[in-house]
Amino acid sequence: MAAMARFQLLHPYPFIKPSIVLSKSPLSSTPIFTLNANYCNYHISGSTSRRRKLSTTSAVASNSESSSTNAESSYSIVGDLLDYLNESWTHFHATAEAKRQLVTAGFHLLNENEEWVMKPGGRYFFTRNMSSLVAFAIGERYSIGNGFHVIAAHTDSPCLKLKPKFSSSKSGYLMVNVQTYGSGLWHTWFDRDLSLAGRVILRADDGSFSHKLVKINRPLLRVPTLAIHLNRTVNTDGFKPNLETHLIPLLATEPEKASSELNDKMNASYSKDPHRQLLMEILSDELGCKAENIVSVELNVCDTQPSCLGGANNEFIFSGRLDNLASSFCALRALVDSCASAEDLANEHTIRMIALFDNEEVGSDSYQGAGAPTMFEAMRRIIACLGHQSVGECAFARAIRHSFLVSADMAHGVHPNFMDKHEENHRPLLQKGLVIKHNANQRYATSGVTAFLFKEVAKIHNLPTQEFVVRNDMGCGSTIGPILASGVGIRTVDCGIAQLSMHR
């Protein structure tokens, strides 16, 4: 909670002129998501060569050197968010990028299979399945029984995933069979430049195995729509694709209709499945390994359109996967920036923690999801380690009672073309503050007490808040908040940043 309080989300910065754009990143003409870019005003210390900075060569409206500095800080962190989004095509890549930033910030990597050694003032993290992560910083003045202040988010987003047997051929085309993951707006995946990214398992020459991440940074796949001349009623009856038969991406033409280069590559294949081998060759070229050394793949279909600024004043972020990578990024930077130096933890009595889970979009019931006892076990191990194995159950129970969890997941901003979809007194707006989510049926974990505490912290830091309640005649989504609140027994508030076009 301390980290969340210091990370000033949704704090407007000065007016940006339209000429201020991303350097080195082309602006795309087709927006996917929109999110308010005016979401923070927090000084970021340190930099890495991988960060893309926002151009600040144009003048910015400012009446003082201080406001100019704040504006530059805002540009920097928005640029860092865009870098994070562009790096994180999959849940694996999002976790890997978080790991990289934590290591750069001086956090020590722990192994769940080994004994942990830690001390007050230390900063640590561990990953699970390469797709979830828990990181924490221990206050110098921490004593056994003090609480954890946690921000939890998730790394996964709705997408298409390759089936184990993905080879398919139709009408002279090589296709790839996919599964739908989560509740996506699947019609938006048609006629887009798609590619593949994810995790592969490689066999080395010595017989050992290793995991590697892969991302093919070029358009590789496409799901074409049917021409309107063959579907005259689509605009009146709606576009209703069959997700099993119509949502199959094209990879290539069949060998006899392909180029001579493709023919040579496929004819030289040792595989009985030349279709599969073609994709293995593409992956091996990207990884710099032999195709036969790839023994397993776990790949997502990804949109190649880069995340960027948009809108007349560059006040929006156009990006896929904002749900929930924007929250994951905010949690990560809150932790890193709130303990950037030893002095930041010198007077801290609690443990600051973030937990980024996988599989939220499909219910969280997995080894790497919030439904697993990952965070609960981590808390218990931390207390046992700091107490040198001499603490009992009472100390851990007291620590949980003193803890607070912010479940951070994106919120539904009111759509200007569909205002009636929101309850009239609870319509979250972009640029108007963090959204506190309420649901009487416990689809969100917010209570009157946790909402009050959250708003008090926001008030101290002059941060606006909004409140959201779904209409009684509509179903309500959920988050990892109720799962962690009931599984760990920790006081929880559900909140998020308002966005449009969720689950594209």
Side-chain angles (χ1 to χ4, degrees), residues 69-297:
T69 301
N70 288 338
E72 290 179 6
S73 298
S74 296
Y75 306 148
S76 175
I77 199 166
V78 171
D80 289 346
L81 170 59
L82 291 171
D83 277 345
Y84 182 77
L85 292 168
N86 284 319
E87 185 66 27
S88 304
W89 277 18
T90 72
H91 49 317
F92 296 121
H93 290 83
T95 303
E97 176 60 16
K99 175 181 177 180
R100 184 194 69 80
Q101 292 190 28
L102 289 167
V103 170
T104 301
F107 282 70
H108 300 282
L109 176 62
L110 301 172
N111 188 329
E112 285 191 279
N113 299 329
E114 299 173 355
E115 184 178 357
W116 290 358
V117 177
M118 58 188 65
K119 61 182 180 179
R123 294 166 291 174
Y124 310 91
F125 75 100
F126 66 89
T127 64
R128 179 176 286 193
N129 187 52
M130 299 176 69
S131 62
S132 63
L133 176 149
V134 174
F136 53 95
I138 306 168
E140 290 277 7
R141 298 192 178 185
Y142 179 81
S143 59
I144 299 301
N146 288 359
F148 294 80
H149 292 168
V150 190
I151 307 174
H154 63 90
T155 60
D156 62 318
S157 302
C159 66
L160 304 177
K161 292 178 179 284
L162 263 61
K163 294 180 178 179
K165 294 182 179 180
F166 57 77
S167 300
S168 176
S169 299
K170 293 182 180 180
S171 303
Y173 296 100
L174 299 181
M175 323 278 283
V176 289
N177 294 321
V178 296
Q179 305 177 71
T180 56
Y181 175 85
S183 301
L185 289 171
W186 303 121
H187 66 277
T188 65
W189 287 75
F190 285 75
D191 291 332
R192 303 198 72 88
D193 295 340
L194 306 174
S195 193
L196 293 171
R199 174 173 65 178
V200 300
I201 299 177
L202 302 178
R203 180 192 291 111
D205 294 336
D206 61 2
S208 62
F209 297 90
S210 63
H211 301 262
K212 277 197 175 182
L213 299 188
V214 65
K215 180 194 297 183
I216 302 173
N217 284 295
R218 65 178 178 89
L220 184 67
L221 306 170
R222 197 171 184 88
V223 185
T225 51
L226 182 64
I228 193 170
H229 313 83
L230 305 176
N231 190 14
R232 290 290 187 180
T233 62
V234 66
N235 288 327
T236 54
D237 296 346
F239 183 44
K240 303 173 183 178
N242 183 292
L243 300 184
E244 178 64 22
T245 60
H246 298 157
L247 194 61
I248 307 177
L250 276 65
L251 173 66
T253 52
E254 286 189 308
E256 63 272 20
K257 298 177 178 158
S259 66
S260 58
E261 179 182 354
L262 179 59
N263 270 311
D264 293 341
K265 180 176 288 189
M266 295 184 71
N267 291 334
S269 169
Y270 68 90
S271 173
K272 294 182 180 179
D273 183 353
H275 181 182
R276 182 181 182 88
Q277 181 58 20
L278 172 61
L279 184 53
M280 293 303 105
E281 291 286 352
I282 294 173
L283 293 173
S284 65
D285 288 345
E286 189 71 30
L287 292 167
C289 67
K290 299 177 182 177
E292 56 266 31
N293 287 348
I294 300 175
V295 297
S296 182
V297 298

Side-chain angles (χ1 to χ4, degrees), residues 340-355:
S341 65
E343 290 75 16
D344 290 326
L345 296 173
N347 296 312
E348 179 61 75
H349 294 262
T350 65
I351 296 175
R352 302 170 183 174
M353 175 181 282
I354 65 169

Side-chain angles (χ1 to χ4, degrees), residues 367-384:
Y367 169 72
Q368 57 274 357
T374 310
M375 197 174 85
F376 183 86
E377 291 175 349
M379 291 173 162
R380 185 187 293 277
R381 290 185 69 172
I382 293 167
I383 292 176

Side-chain angles (χ1 to χ4, degrees), residues 18 54 260 290 304 314 358 389 449 465:
L54 292 176
S260 58
K290 299 177 182 177
T304 61
N314 287 317
D358 191 7
Q389 309 299 328
V449 172
T465 59

